[in-house]
Amino acid sequence: MNIGIDIEEVKRFVKYIKNKKHLERVFAKEEISYSLAKKNAAQCLASRFAAKEAVWKALSARNKKLAITDISVRNAKDGKPQVYIKNKKCEKIDVSLSHTDKYVAAVAIVS
């Protein structure tokens, strides 16, 4: 079992909302459309990024060639975040997201 964790400051992502090229370099199309539809898009983007970082940290010991852009986070119908690697759902990775107005955090556990 491997664990990864990340924390991000929400205000860092406010400027990214206006920079579509930057968003497309870091996030999958589904992550962008989901986040931008939310009232607090910056917080949502920060949460997705923190989750991607946590997953990357948990998997980097196993896969040195994994890029942050290979990882995406989508919500199931029940709202639970699910991890996809290169567009394939990963059942062996659990992610938990948390936030305040200023910070977001994510933990990834790979079983």
Side-chain angles (χ1 to χ4, degrees), residues 8 12-13 16 19-29 31-32 45-46 48-50 52-53 67-73:
E8 298 290 334
R12 180 176 150 215
F13 290 82
Y16 295 148
N19 186 339
K20 188 171 182 172
K21 285 187 179 187
H22 179 75
L23 289 177
E24 291 172 347
R25 279 195 312 262
V26 178
F27 298 98
K29 290 179 184 179
E31 292 173 309
I32 295 169
L45 287 167
R48 294 285 182 264
F49 185 80
K52 290 159 74 89
E53 281 284 315
I68 197 81
T69 53
D70 294 334
I71 303 164
S72 63
V73 180

Side-chain angles (χ1 to χ4, degrees), residues 34 38 48 74-84 89 91 94-95:
Y34 175 82
K38 295 295 183 181
R48 294 285 182 264
R74 305 174 196 165
N75 286 56
K77 289 182 182 182
D78 65 0
K80 181 180 177 187
Q82 297 177 323
V83 176
Y84 288 75
K89 186 177 170 185
E91 299 289 344
D94 287 315
V95 177

Side-chain angles (χ1 to χ4, degrees), residues 31-66:
E31 292 173 309
I32 295 169
S33 61
Y34 175 82
S35 297
L36 294 182
K38 295 295 183 181
K39 183 178 179 181
N40 193 338
Q43 186 182 66
C44 192
L45 287 167
S47 294
R48 294 285 182 264
F49 185 80
K52 290 159 74 89
E53 281 284 315
V55 168
W56 183 82
K57 290 173 183 177
L59 292 175
S60 64
R62 295 182 185 179
N63 187 346
K64 300 288 184 191
K65 295 180 181 182
L66 184 67

